[in-house]
Amino acid sequence: MAFDQTELYKLIPLMSEGNKQAFDQFYDSTVSLTFSVIMKITVNKQLAEEVASDVYIQVWQTAKKYDADLAAPMTWVLMIARCRAIDALRREKSATRNQLPLIEDYDVADEDELGPLTKALEGEKKAKLKRLLGSLSKSERQMIMLAFYQDMSHREISLRTGKPLGSVKTTLRRAQKLLRSGLKVATPLAYDTEVTG
């Protein structure tokens, strides 16, 4: 991660012994990044706050099971956060539909709603990407938005859309290829990697 996790390694054993002060320190050191990851997945502040609360309850309750050989402390917390956030989204199906306007109503979506996919692009590049996204089929657009805007894996997209995993991978590869070739001149390095499941 971007910050030193040395202290986090020391705090977890103390937490496993019921040390509330160690937990408070651990929470203060990790909550900002944890919450931002949850928000990226849920796109709903109230839901993200509920998920974050559940995440830290689980962290407190399972600290004694933590294995430093399997994951760094922050990775451990973010894995819990990701699972909890995805579970919460599945429970909030009707609310989730309202949180994803780009999937159901792409044509009226504000350019700023494209999220991380376009933040690296500016001006002309952003407009070009928007035109390219508009040229994709509804299914391709939906999967691109779930992959980049919601940071979902192929498997998660398959579960969300009800489409077979192979079909999701094929559709995403085709859509990414079209976007990459369309953006090649303006941003030669922007799409050198593909979303992986």
Side-chain angles (χ1 to χ4, degrees):
M1 310 307 299
F3 57 88
D4 185 5
Q5 297 191 69
T6 307
E7 278 306 305
L8 300 183
Y9 280 105
K10 296 175 186 172
L11 293 171
I12 295 175
L14 297 173
M15 287 161 49
S16 72
E17 295 167 2
N19 186 318
K20 181 72 167 64
Q21 188 177 355
F23 174 76
D24 290 343
Q25 278 183 260
F26 188 91
Y27 176 89
D28 290 342
S29 300
T30 60
V31 70
S32 178
L33 181 55
T34 302
F35 187 79
S36 71
V37 167
I38 295 168
M39 264 301 287
K40 187 177 180 185
I41 295 169
T42 63
V43 198
N44 179 314
K45 188 176 180 187
Q46 184 179 350
L47 184 59
E49 287 168 352
E50 291 171 16
V51 170
S53 176
D54 290 343
V55 166
Y56 283 97
I57 289 170
Q58 185 173 342
V59 164
W60 173 252
Q61 292 174 341
T62 62
K64 59 184 68 174
K65 295 179 182 176
Y66 170 74
D67 185 345
D69 292 332
L70 296 178
M74 199 67 236
T75 304
W76 173 59
V77 175
L78 294 182
M79 282 167 36
I80 295 171
R82 184 175 167 85
C83 290
R84 287 271 180 180
I86 291 168
D87 287 345
L89 271 182
R90 289 184 183 130
R91 287 193 304 270
E92 300 277 329
K93 281 183 182 174
S94 59
T96 300
R97 192 174 302 141
N98 294 330
Q99 294 160 20
L100 296 172
L102 287 169
I103 293 168
E104 296 300 331
D105 197 11
Y106 173 81
D107 292 334
V108 297
D110 190 318
E111 192 173 82
D112 294 336
E113 289 182 278
L114 294 175
L117 185 58
T118 57
K119 280 183 181 172
L121 304 172
E122 297 173 4
E124 184 182 319
K125 297 173 191 172
K126 201 183 279 188
K128 185 170 187 179
L129 177 60
K130 191 172 181 181
R131 282 195 304 275
L132 287 167
L133 283 169
S135 71
L136 298 176
S137 70
K138 185 175 178 181
S139 177
E140 289 169 338
R141 258 197 322 271
Q142 179 185 28
M143 290 184 194
I144 285 289
M145 298 318 294
L146 289 173
F148 287 93
Y149 185 60
Q150 293 292 310
D151 195 27
M152 289 187 175
S153 69
H154 291 149
R155 189 169 300 283
E156 290 161 353
I157 293 170
S158 175
L159 288 169
R160 170 68 66 84
T161 61
K163 297 195 182 296
L165 184 58
S167 176
V168 168
K169 290 181 178 181
T170 301
T171 303
L172 262 176
R173 271 196 300 270
R174 184 174 57 242
Q176 286 179 264
K177 187 176 180 181
L178 289 169
L179 291 175
R180 265 201 304 271
S181 61
L183 289 167
K184 207 91 172 178
V185 176
T187 54
L189 299 177
Y191 288 87
D192 282 351
T193 59
E194 290 190 2
V195 176
T196 58

